[in-house]
Amino acid sequence: MGEREDIRREAGEIVAVYRRPFREQKRRDPREVVSVYRQRDPREVVETYRRSAPGLFGGRKLDWTPAPAVWRPLLARRRKRNGLRRFLVCLAALAGLAAAAQMLPEPRIPDFPDFEVPVPSKETEITIPDWPVGLGARVTVSREHGGQMTAQEVYRQVNPSVVTVLAGLGGNSMSVGTGVIFTEDGYLVTNHHVIEGGQDCSVLLDSGYRLTACYVAGDAENDLAVLKIPPGELEDLGALPTAQFGDSDLLSVGDPVYAIGNPLGWELRGTLTDGIVSAINRDVEVDGRTMNLIQTNAALNSGNSGGPLINAYGQVVGINVIKMRSDHSTVEGLGFAIPSARMERIVNDLLEWGALQPEPRLGITVRSLATVLEDGRRGLLVEEVSAGTAAERAGVRTGDYVLAADGEALSSTDDLFRIRRRLHVGDQLELTLWRNGEIFEVQLFLEEAV
């Protein structure tokens, strides 16, 4: 959904040049296609619906009385003269329009930071000046939240931490997307495809400042990347506003959500749209890989990539990544975001190691929902223990119930997956088990990756 644009400079001004492909290939496969949004024509298209008018003057029909016969010849001559006059007036108007059309200037982008109309780039290597990893920065997702906010309150709280990301692709092309600041010293997250092929990068703050950004690390498979604004760029600004991140695992279908971003480029930066959570844990195939995403009907367009999906408490619960389109039918209200619960693990791995680390294998298969036990406790039934795994070595048996992991009570497998996401190979995990009325704890030494 990141825009790529191409320009030419004329008389010291930035002149937008829009190009349409010479020939668009027809797809034989009528199935809908989910992919990174790429506009063939950056101009907006407005569909106009027309119907027969119900009648003039608010629908009232007027009763026209025919003229007397004596007046008809005179009226006929007058109609002929009026018809000729109308014809000459229309002809003159058309001539004027044709002359004016030749004098119309080309569309011009307002005088703002240098900006370019996107063109496809074949380069995927990122050569943006880098920033070292392993400096202790982290993004934190909280399961706590305050009271529900109005749309105005959400916008006032989150928008200052939303930036426009401009990645130079070489020559006169640039990729445009959105990003979210998560530390006061200038770390921010965006989509990998926004900066893919980038040679340099800058960000526009809500306040209007344009700052240079460095590349920390990225993961193309999960379409996430981390950027850092160097300290020298912040000397006159001090601490940057940051977004609060909430847990996407707490979302339910129907919850209200908001999106902030730069649809179609920086000219509409800071645009707020709203909607609901349409689906959670939606598996979507994107460019040959499957991504597990949040589905929303909040309007997302080219340029929204990397921007925040926000819950009713003003917390970022997703990073907007794609919208669905079809070459064969109109598709509206089908946008998708990377869940914050998944993003937390990826971004923190990128910050610490510069690459996503594999999740550890526990070695147990449990029932999806917790069972209420004899003493009123709730636990996940262990249905299978894999041989040679951490669970078997720790003494976990089939028929046990897992009451808690790492000290946190479990009500579903989602809770167990959430805890596992923050662990790595080499870590230890404490499980609280219930077996025949007895409660005890075991330690899993996680030595194997999923």
Side-chain angles (χ1 to χ4, degrees):
M1 290 187 338
E3 284 195 324
R4 298 180 184 276
E5 299 201 3
D6 179 59
I7 67 161
R8 74 168 182 267
R9 302 183 183 274
E10 192 171 282
E13 304 226 17
I14 310 283
V15 181
V17 181
Y18 300 97
R19 295 187 176 90
R20 184 188 298 272
F22 178 72
R23 180 177 298 173
E24 296 182 3
Q25 296 181 354
K26 295 182 179 179
R27 298 180 182 273
R28 296 184 179 179
D29 189 346
R31 295 176 298 179
E32 293 180 341
V33 177
V34 179
S35 64
V36 173
Y37 182 88
R38 301 230 194 313
Q39 272 188 306
R40 292 192 178 96
D41 188 342
R43 294 173 295 180
E44 294 182 358
V45 177
V46 180
E47 294 184 353
T48 303
Y49 297 90
R50 293 185 175 87
R51 63 174 182 173
S52 300
L56 299 175
F57 305 100
R60 291 177 296 162
K61 294 183 178 180
L62 301 184
D63 184 14
W64 296 98
T65 303
V70 67
W71 295 104
R72 288 175 186 171
L74 179 60
L75 291 174
R77 289 195 295 273
R78 182 174 297 175
R79 289 192 191 102
K80 290 181 181 179
R81 288 197 298 273
N82 289 341
L84 179 60
R85 188 179 296 113
R86 293 191 187 100
F87 173 76
L88 293 175
V89 169
C90 291
L91 188 62
L94 289 173
L97 288 174
Q102 296 177 357
M103 298 164 49
L104 287 177
E106 296 184 21
R108 295 183 182 275
I109 294 177
D111 186 16
F112 201 68
D114 292 347
F115 179 77
E116 307 177 354
V117 181
V119 293
S121 172
K122 296 181 180 179
E123 298 295 331
T124 59
E125 183 183 3
I126 298 173
T127 56
I128 299 169
D130 58 9
W131 190 262
V133 300
L135 300 182
R138 292 185 66 82
V139 61
T140 302
V141 170
S142 173
R143 294 180 65 82
E144 305 296 327
H145 58 75
Q148 190 162 336
M149 297 181 176
T150 65
Q152 293 86 350
E153 291 171 334
V154 167
Y155 187 77
R156 285 195 295 267
Q157 175 166 304
V158 182
N159 187 57
S161 64
V162 179
V163 301
T164 302
V165 179
L166 308 171
L169 306 177
N172 291 325
S173 60
M174 181 173 288
S175 174
V176 183
T178 306
V180 186
I181 301 172
F182 59 86
T183 69
E184 293 181 347
D185 60 346
Y187 282 94
L188 62 106
V189 61
T190 187
N191 283 146
H192 185 273
H193 75 258
V194 170
I195 60 171
E196 190 173 31
Q199 300 177 8
D200 57 73
C201 185
S202 60
V203 298
L204 300 179
L205 303 183
D206 171 60
S207 57
Y209 283 91
R210 182 175 183 176
L211 307 174
T212 298
C214 296
Y215 176 62
V216 179
D219 186 89
E221 188 73 14
N222 292 283
D223 209 352
L224 287 171
V226 180
L227 302 174
K228 174 68 169 71
I229 301 171
E233 295 284 293
L234 303 175
E235 290 179 353
D236 299 329
L237 298 177
L240 294 176
T242 62
Q244 299 176 14
F245 286 78
D247 193 345
S248 58
D249 284 344
L250 301 179
L251 291 174
S252 298
V253 173
D255 284 351
V257 287
Y258 305 90
I260 300 178
N262 313 301
L264 307 181
W266 62 264
E267 295 144 302
L268 301 178
R269 67 192 186 283
T271 294
L272 173 73
T273 57
D274 68 333
I276 62 171
V277 175
S278 304
I280 54 177
N281 297 324
R282 179 75 81 191
D283 287 335
V284 181
E285 186 175 342
V286 183
D287 294 337
R289 67 188 189 278
T290 299
M291 300 181 71
N292 188 264
L293 305 172
I294 302 168
Q295 181 182 329
T296 179
N297 68 340
L300 302 178
N301 288 285
S302 178
N304 276 108
S305 288
L309 186 71
I310 311 157
N311 64 15
Y313 310 108
Q315 297 173 313
V316 177
V317 290
I319 299 299
N320 300 319
V321 60
I322 60 172
K323 68 175 292 186
M324 183 174 286
R325 65 178 176 82
S326 172
D327 291 340
H328 305 279
S329 63
T330 300
V331 177
E332 297 294 342
L334 290 177
F336 299 88
I338 301 168
S340 60
R342 176 65 177 160
M343 178 223 65
E344 181 183 27
R345 161 66 180 249
I346 299 168
V347 169
N348 286 334
D349 278 3
L350 295 177
L351 288 166
E352 183 64 25
W353 291 285
L356 180 61
Q357 304 299 300
E359 292 185 18
R361 184 185 183 194
L362 305 184
I364 56 174
T365 301
V366 297
R367 189 166 293 176
S368 59
L369 296 177
T371 302
V372 179
L373 304 175
E374 299 171 0
D375 56 3
R377 300 176 187 269
R378 297 168 60 87
L380 300 177
L381 174 64
V382 178
E383 297 181 329
E384 182 181 352
V385 179
S386 301
T389 61
E392 185 190 49
R393 289 192 296 269
V396 181
R397 302 177 187 173
T398 300
D400 289 347
Y401 289 86
V402 184
L403 303 181
D406 202 18
E408 297 184 22
L410 305 177
S411 59
S412 70
T413 53
D414 289 339
D415 294 331
L416 190 56
F417 289 147
R418 174 174 50 82
I419 294 169
R420 191 186 71 174
R421 276 197 296 267
R422 63 188 186 218
L423 299 171
H424 296 85
V425 174
D427 290 343
Q428 297 182 33
L429 174 64
E430 182 180 85
L431 295 183
T432 302
L433 302 179
W434 186 96
R435 180 185 299 165
N436 300 324
E438 180 186 357
I439 298 175
F440 59 98
E441 296 175 347
V442 296
Q443 291 285 340
L444 274 63
F445 294 87
L446 308 176
E447 301 173 353
E448 187 179 8
V450 174

